[in-house]
Amino acid sequence: MRHYSIHNIIFNSHHCTTLNPKKIPPLFPFPFSHKLKLFTTTTTTSDSESEPNSFVVSYLINTIGFPRETALKASKRLRFNSPEKPNSVFTFFKNHGFSDSNIRNIFIKEPWLLSSDTHNLILPKFQFFLSKGASPSDISRLLSVSPRILQSSLENRIIPLFEFYKRFLKSDKATICYMIRYSIPLSYNLTMVNMKLMIDYGVCDSSIARLLLTRPTILGSNDFINTLEEVKGLGFDPLTTTFGIALVAKKSLSKTLWDDKVAVFKKWGWSDEDVVRAFRVQPFLMLASIDKINLVMSFWVNQLGWNSLALTKRPQMFCISLERRIIPRALVLQYLQMKGLWRKNASLVTPFSLSEKLFLSKFVVGFKDESDYLLKLYEEKMNLAYTKEKNTDMKITK
């Protein structure tokens, strides 16, 4: 089973490079842009004079770059008759490393900020994130995606939420990065409800963390409690990591698709009980596509002539590469069987779980008289698999 490192998943992902110190701009990197000049007069344009709150409308359009309809809508909630207040808010963001485009996007999403008290309402939140290791560019990215954070209470919402997610992500930096990457909503949302349900069910923190990092949308789904009950009813222990994987499988598949996959296994000789037992051993089993299940079964049964029930003992076989692992190794084993060099009562599936080095040592090099042929057979199939993958990748990139 592949183990996930929180640090690796967050900091190596191309989706989230926000904490790379080489890419962090200085705190006050930009002079005022000539493209976005601040108002220095209360004169309004003739186009806006006929509109209500004409100064506000004119300021939003000509200074910030609001679309006209957006400016008209926002003007109904803003009250200023001179540029001093909105200019000061703009300057505050500019002095904290925000680009013109970031400021524009933030104000378009949350126009109320133009009338906000930056010293008492916004600055403490900036200071909190800075104290947690966020850089100015991190804060800029976070607020560009989720500027509504600034409307939330620091003490009653932001800090408790931050500490809640940190429980699973383990570090301040990882939590900051996660908030930027997934735009965590600060309202009491389904994700938090479902995470608390998992805690109540006794699901281990590492399983919850894995879901947060790899399948966050599942945590925001409805009827989560029913899935928890179903997975628990299938015999999974909430304290094990496989419980979280089983949750992913059950929430990722519709009942129809689940039943279709069960039907495919039964077509190849498995019973309903075989499917459940195999799923308990390897929950990723049910995430394999129907095509992959059929390909593995067809090769195993039709080409090798082996019993499909052997695969119930190691359902991981449906999660590994057919071309790069199953076929090359199976042909080596089939040859050894044909030559009477491999015990008939030996496990058919165990050799597929070995590392390549150990497999070659035991089943290729270990048979000195046959090793040259076996190695040639193995390498031919491996080279064919890599060539096939390379050609597939080239087709995809074209």
Side-chain angles (χ1 to χ4, degrees), residues 66 70 77 103-113 143-148:
F66 273 49
T70 306
R77 294 172 293 171
I103 297 172
R104 180 184 297 110
N105 290 336
I106 288 170
F107 288 165
I108 287 175
K109 289 180 180 179
E110 301 294 334
W112 62 270
L113 284 167
L143 297 183
S144 294
V145 176
S146 304
R148 189 162 294 186

PDB file of all heavy atoms in Angstrom, residues 66 70 77 103-113 143-148:
ATOM      1  N   PHE A  66     -13.700  48.201 -12.200  1.00  0.00           N
ATOM      2  CA  PHE A  66     -14.914  47.387 -12.122  1.00  0.00           C
ATOM      3  C   PHE A  66     -15.648  47.399 -13.469  1.00  0.00           C
ATOM      4  O   PHE A  66     -15.709  48.440 -14.130  1.00  0.00           O
ATOM      5  CB  PHE A  66     -15.873  47.970 -11.079  1.00  0.00           C
ATOM      6  CG  PHE A  66     -15.663  47.497  -9.670  1.00  0.00           C
ATOM      7  CD1 PHE A  66     -14.405  47.502  -9.095  1.00  0.00           C
ATOM      8  CD2 PHE A  66     -16.727  47.036  -8.912  1.00  0.00           C
ATOM      9  CE1 PHE A  66     -14.207  47.083  -7.791  1.00  0.00           C
ATOM     10  CE2 PHE A  66     -16.553  46.603  -7.614  1.00  0.00           C
ATOM     11  CZ  PHE A  66     -15.287  46.626  -7.045  1.00  0.00           C
ATOM     12  N   THR A  70     -21.204  45.674 -12.440  1.00  0.00           N
ATOM     13  CA  THR A  70     -20.714  45.309 -11.107  1.00  0.00           C
ATOM     14  C   THR A  70     -20.563  46.544 -10.236  1.00  0.00           C
ATOM     15  O   THR A  70     -20.891  46.535  -9.043  1.00  0.00           O
ATOM     16  CB  THR A  70     -19.358  44.574 -11.215  1.00  0.00           C
ATOM     17  OG1 THR A  70     -19.484  43.470 -12.113  1.00  0.00           O
ATOM     18  CG2 THR A  70     -18.898  44.067  -9.859  1.00  0.00           C
ATOM     19  N   ARG A  77     -24.118  49.544  -1.858  1.00  0.00           N
ATOM     20  CA  ARG A  77     -23.687  49.155  -0.502  1.00  0.00           C
ATOM     21  C   ARG A  77     -22.488  49.944  -0.021  1.00  0.00           C
ATOM     22  O   ARG A  77     -21.966  49.683   1.055  1.00  0.00           O
ATOM     23  CB  ARG A  77     -23.353  47.657  -0.492  1.00  0.00           C
ATOM     24  CG  ARG A  77     -24.549  46.753  -0.738  1.00  0.00           C
ATOM     25  CD  ARG A  77     -24.129  45.302  -0.899  1.00  0.00           C
ATOM     26  NE  ARG A  77     -23.363  45.116  -2.125  1.00  0.00           N
ATOM     27  CZ  ARG A  77     -22.708  43.996  -2.444  1.00  0.00           C
ATOM     28  NH1 ARG A  77     -22.738  42.976  -1.608  1.00  0.00           N
ATOM     29  NH2 ARG A  77     -22.051  43.910  -3.570  1.00  0.00           N
ATOM     30  N   ILE A 103      -5.426  43.225  -6.234  1.00  0.00           N
ATOM     31  CA  ILE A 103      -6.276  44.185  -5.519  1.00  0.00           C
ATOM     32  C   ILE A 103      -7.604  44.354  -6.238  1.00  0.00           C
ATOM     33  O   ILE A 103      -8.674  44.362  -5.624  1.00  0.00           O
ATOM     34  CB  ILE A 103      -5.553  45.544  -5.382  1.00  0.00           C
ATOM     35  CG1 ILE A 103      -4.285  45.381  -4.533  1.00  0.00           C
ATOM     36  CG2 ILE A 103      -6.474  46.589  -4.760  1.00  0.00           C
ATOM     37  CD1 ILE A 103      -3.408  46.609  -4.495  1.00  0.00           C
ATOM     38  N   ARG A 104      -7.534  44.479  -7.551  1.00  0.00           N
ATOM     39  CA  ARG A 104      -8.767  44.643  -8.339  1.00  0.00           C
ATOM     40  C   ARG A 104      -9.697  43.448  -8.145  1.00  0.00           C
ATOM     41  O   ARG A 104     -10.898  43.614  -7.903  1.00  0.00           O
ATOM     42  CB  ARG A 104      -8.413  44.811  -9.812  1.00  0.00           C
ATOM     43  CG  ARG A 104      -9.636  44.993 -10.718  1.00  0.00           C
ATOM     44  CD  ARG A 104      -9.245  45.066 -12.184  1.00  0.00           C
ATOM     45  NE  ARG A 104      -8.407  46.225 -12.452  1.00  0.00           N
ATOM     46  CZ  ARG A 104      -7.117  46.162 -12.755  1.00  0.00           C
ATOM     47  NH1 ARG A 104      -6.507  44.990 -12.803  1.00  0.00           N
ATOM     48  NH2 ARG A 104      -6.432  47.259 -13.003  1.00  0.00           N
ATOM     49  N   ASN A 105      -9.135  42.245  -8.247  1.00  0.00           N
ATOM     50  CA  ASN A 105      -9.957  41.043  -8.100  1.00  0.00           C
ATOM     51  C   ASN A 105     -10.580  40.943  -6.712  1.00  0.00           C
ATOM     52  O   ASN A 105     -11.735  40.538  -6.557  1.00  0.00           O
ATOM     53  CB  ASN A 105      -9.110  39.794  -8.377  1.00  0.00           C
ATOM     54  CG  ASN A 105      -8.737  39.658  -9.840  1.00  0.00           C
ATOM     55  OD1 ASN A 105      -9.414  40.188 -10.714  1.00  0.00           O
ATOM     56  ND2 ASN A 105      -7.652  38.963 -10.114  1.00  0.00           N
ATOM     57  N   ILE A 106      -9.803  41.306  -5.695  1.00  0.00           N
ATOM     58  CA  ILE A 106     -10.304  41.243  -4.325  1.00  0.00           C
ATOM     59  C   ILE A 106     -11.447  42.236  -4.125  1.00  0.00           C
ATOM     60  O   ILE A 106     -12.488  41.910  -3.556  1.00  0.00           O
ATOM     61  CB  ILE A 106      -9.161  41.516  -3.327  1.00  0.00           C
ATOM     62  CG1 ILE A 106      -8.205  40.318  -3.287  1.00  0.00           C
ATOM     63  CG2 ILE A 106      -9.702  41.802  -1.922  1.00  0.00           C
ATOM     64  CD1 ILE A 106      -6.921  40.578  -2.526  1.00  0.00           C
ATOM     65  N   PHE A 107     -11.273  43.452  -4.615  1.00  0.00           N
ATOM     66  CA  PHE A 107     -12.310  44.469  -4.435  1.00  0.00           C
ATOM     67  C   PHE A 107     -13.569  44.152  -5.241  1.00  0.00           C
ATOM     68  O   PHE A 107     -14.678  44.451  -4.807  1.00  0.00           O
ATOM     69  CB  PHE A 107     -11.777  45.846  -4.828  1.00  0.00           C
ATOM     70  CG  PHE A 107     -10.775  46.418  -3.846  1.00  0.00           C
ATOM     71  CD1 PHE A 107      -9.977  47.494  -4.194  1.00  0.00           C
ATOM     72  CD2 PHE A 107     -10.631  45.873  -2.583  1.00  0.00           C
ATOM     73  CE1 PHE A 107      -9.061  48.025  -3.291  1.00  0.00           C
ATOM     74  CE2 PHE A 107      -9.710  46.388  -1.676  1.00  0.00           C
ATOM     75  CZ  PHE A 107      -8.923  47.467  -2.039  1.00  0.00           C
ATOM     76  N   ILE A 108     -13.403  43.549  -6.413  1.00  0.00           N
ATOM     77  CA  ILE A 108     -14.571  43.176  -7.207  1.00  0.00           C
ATOM     78  C   ILE A 108     -15.373  42.097  -6.488  1.00  0.00           C
ATOM     79  O   ILE A 108     -16.608  42.117  -6.477  1.00  0.00           O
ATOM     80  CB  ILE A 108     -14.148  42.717  -8.617  1.00  0.00           C
ATOM     81  CG1 ILE A 108     -13.702  43.932  -9.440  1.00  0.00           C
ATOM     82  CG2 ILE A 108     -15.282  41.985  -9.334  1.00  0.00           C
ATOM     83  CD1 ILE A 108     -13.157  43.588 -10.814  1.00  0.00           C
ATOM     84  N   LYS A 109     -14.656  41.151  -5.847  1.00  0.00           N
ATOM     85  CA  LYS A 109     -15.342  40.094  -5.109  1.00  0.00           C
ATOM     86  C   LYS A 109     -15.962  40.610  -3.817  1.00  0.00           C
ATOM     87  O   LYS A 109     -17.046  40.180  -3.435  1.00  0.00           O
ATOM     88  CB  LYS A 109     -14.358  38.963  -4.784  1.00  0.00           C
ATOM     89  CG  LYS A 109     -13.937  38.134  -5.983  1.00  0.00           C
ATOM     90  CD  LYS A 109     -12.956  37.038  -5.555  1.00  0.00           C
ATOM     91  CE  LYS A 109     -12.517  36.191  -6.741  1.00  0.00           C
ATOM     92  NZ  LYS A 109     -11.541  35.143  -6.331  1.00  0.00           N
ATOM     93  N   GLU A 110     -15.254  41.509  -3.139  1.00  0.00           N
ATOM     94  CA  GLU A 110     -15.713  42.017  -1.847  1.00  0.00           C
ATOM     95  C   GLU A 110     -15.597  43.545  -1.815  1.00  0.00           C
ATOM     96  O   GLU A 110     -14.678  44.109  -1.207  1.00  0.00           O
ATOM     97  CB  GLU A 110     -14.882  41.399  -0.711  1.00  0.00           C
ATOM     98  CG  GLU A 110     -14.925  39.884  -0.644  1.00  0.00           C
ATOM     99  CD  GLU A 110     -16.304  39.354  -0.286  1.00  0.00           C
ATOM    100  OE1 GLU A 110     -17.071  40.081   0.372  1.00  0.00           O
ATOM    101  OE2 GLU A 110     -16.618  38.214  -0.664  1.00  0.00           O
ATOM    102  N   PRO A 111     -16.529  44.270  -2.469  1.00  0.00           N
ATOM    103  CA  PRO A 111     -16.431  45.735  -2.554  1.00  0.00           C
ATOM    104  C   PRO A 111     -16.442  46.428  -1.189  1.00  0.00           C
ATOM    105  O   PRO A 111     -15.906  47.530  -1.049  1.00  0.00           O
ATOM    106  CB  PRO A 111     -17.668  46.121  -3.377  1.00  0.00           C
ATOM    107  CG  PRO A 111     -18.067  44.874  -4.091  1.00  0.00           C
ATOM    108  CD  PRO A 111     -17.684  43.751  -3.208  1.00  0.00           C
ATOM    109  N   TRP A 112     -17.062  45.803  -0.174  1.00  0.00           N
ATOM    110  CA  TRP A 112     -17.158  46.423   1.142  1.00  0.00           C
ATOM    111  C   TRP A 112     -15.783  46.760   1.723  1.00  0.00           C
ATOM    112  O   TRP A 112     -15.674  47.650   2.589  1.00  0.00           O
ATOM    113  CB  TRP A 112     -17.902  45.502   2.108  1.00  0.00           C
ATOM    114  CG  TRP A 112     -17.204  44.185   2.341  1.00  0.00           C
ATOM    115  CD1 TRP A 112     -17.364  43.044   1.631  1.00  0.00           C
ATOM    116  CD2 TRP A 112     -16.231  43.913   3.354  1.00  0.00           C
ATOM    117  NE1 TRP A 112     -16.546  42.054   2.127  1.00  0.00           N
ATOM    118  CE2 TRP A 112     -15.848  42.564   3.183  1.00  0.00           C
ATOM    119  CE3 TRP A 112     -15.657  44.658   4.376  1.00  0.00           C
ATOM    120  CZ2 TRP A 112     -14.892  41.954   4.001  1.00  0.00           C
ATOM    121  CZ3 TRP A 112     -14.706  44.056   5.198  1.00  0.00           C
ATOM    122  CH2 TRP A 112     -14.330  42.710   5.007  1.00  0.00           C
ATOM    123  N   LEU A 113     -14.742  46.086   1.232  1.00  0.00           N
ATOM    124  CA  LEU A 113     -13.398  46.348   1.753  1.00  0.00           C
ATOM    125  C   LEU A 113     -12.955  47.788   1.512  1.00  0.00           C
ATOM    126  O   LEU A 113     -12.143  48.330   2.266  1.00  0.00           O
ATOM    127  CB  LEU A 113     -12.395  45.391   1.100  1.00  0.00           C
ATOM    128  CG  LEU A 113     -12.405  43.940   1.619  1.00  0.00           C
ATOM    129  CD1 LEU A 113     -11.612  43.035   0.705  1.00  0.00           C
ATOM    130  CD2 LEU A 113     -11.855  43.896   3.046  1.00  0.00           C
ATOM    131  N   LEU A 143      -5.959  35.482  -0.273  1.00  0.00           N
ATOM    132  CA  LEU A 143      -7.058  36.441  -0.313  1.00  0.00           C
ATOM    133  C   LEU A 143      -7.570  36.668  -1.730  1.00  0.00           C
ATOM    134  O   LEU A 143      -8.730  37.047  -1.913  1.00  0.00           O
ATOM    135  CB  LEU A 143      -6.620  37.763   0.317  1.00  0.00           C
ATOM    136  CG  LEU A 143      -6.252  37.680   1.803  1.00  0.00           C
ATOM    137  CD1 LEU A 143      -5.911  39.053   2.344  1.00  0.00           C
ATOM    138  CD2 LEU A 143      -7.399  37.067   2.610  1.00  0.00           C
ATOM    139  N   SER A 144      -6.729  36.437  -2.723  1.00  0.00           N
ATOM    140  CA  SER A 144      -7.198  36.553  -4.106  1.00  0.00           C
ATOM    141  C   SER A 144      -8.255  35.499  -4.394  1.00  0.00           C
ATOM    142  O   SER A 144      -9.192  35.720  -5.163  1.00  0.00           O
ATOM    143  CB  SER A 144      -6.026  36.394  -5.083  1.00  0.00           C
ATOM    144  OG  SER A 144      -5.116  37.468  -4.952  1.00  0.00           O
ATOM    145  N   VAL A 145      -8.120  34.344  -3.762  1.00  0.00           N
ATOM    146  CA  VAL A 145      -9.077  33.257  -3.952  1.00  0.00           C
ATOM    147  C   VAL A 145     -10.246  33.385  -2.987  1.00  0.00           C
ATOM    148  O   VAL A 145     -11.397  33.170  -3.351  1.00  0.00           O
ATOM    149  CB  VAL A 145      -8.388  31.890  -3.772  1.00  0.00           C
ATOM    150  CG1 VAL A 145      -9.401  30.756  -3.862  1.00  0.00           C
ATOM    151  CG2 VAL A 145      -7.293  31.703  -4.808  1.00  0.00           C
ATOM    152  N   SER A 146      -9.938  33.733  -1.740  1.00  0.00           N
ATOM    153  CA  SER A 146     -10.972  33.765  -0.695  1.00  0.00           C
ATOM    154  C   SER A 146     -10.924  35.067   0.099  1.00  0.00           C
ATOM    155  O   SER A 146     -10.607  35.076   1.291  1.00  0.00           O
ATOM    156  CB  SER A 146     -10.781  32.580   0.263  1.00  0.00           C
ATOM    157  OG  SER A 146     -10.796  31.367  -0.421  1.00  0.00           O
ATOM    158  N   PRO A 147     -11.241  36.202  -0.533  1.00  0.00           N
ATOM    159  CA  PRO A 147     -11.184  37.471   0.204  1.00  0.00           C
ATOM    160  C   PRO A 147     -12.215  37.569   1.326  1.00  0.00           C
ATOM    161  O   PRO A 147     -12.063  38.389   2.231  1.00  0.00           O
ATOM    162  CB  PRO A 147     -11.448  38.522  -0.884  1.00  0.00           C
ATOM    163  CG  PRO A 147     -12.208  37.790  -1.944  1.00  0.00           C
ATOM    164  CD  PRO A 147     -11.650  36.401  -1.934  1.00  0.00           C
ATOM    165  N   ARG A 148     -13.239  36.721   1.287  1.00  0.00           N
ATOM    166  CA  ARG A 148     -14.271  36.773   2.330  1.00  0.00           C
ATOM    167  C   ARG A 148     -13.714  36.399   3.700  1.00  0.00           C
ATOM    168  O   ARG A 148     -14.337  36.653   4.724  1.00  0.00           O
ATOM    169  CB  ARG A 148     -15.438  35.865   1.955  1.00  0.00           C
ATOM    170  CG  ARG A 148     -16.648  36.016   2.850  1.00  0.00           C
ATOM    171  CD  ARG A 148     -17.900  35.463   2.238  1.00  0.00           C
ATOM    172  NE  ARG A 148     -18.305  36.224   1.066  1.00  0.00           N
ATOM    173  CZ  ARG A 148     -19.440  36.021   0.409  1.00  0.00           C
ATOM    174  NH1 ARG A 148     -20.267  35.076   0.799  1.00  0.00           N
ATOM    175  NH2 ARG A 148     -19.745  36.746  -0.649  1.00  0.00           N
TER     176      ARG A 148
END
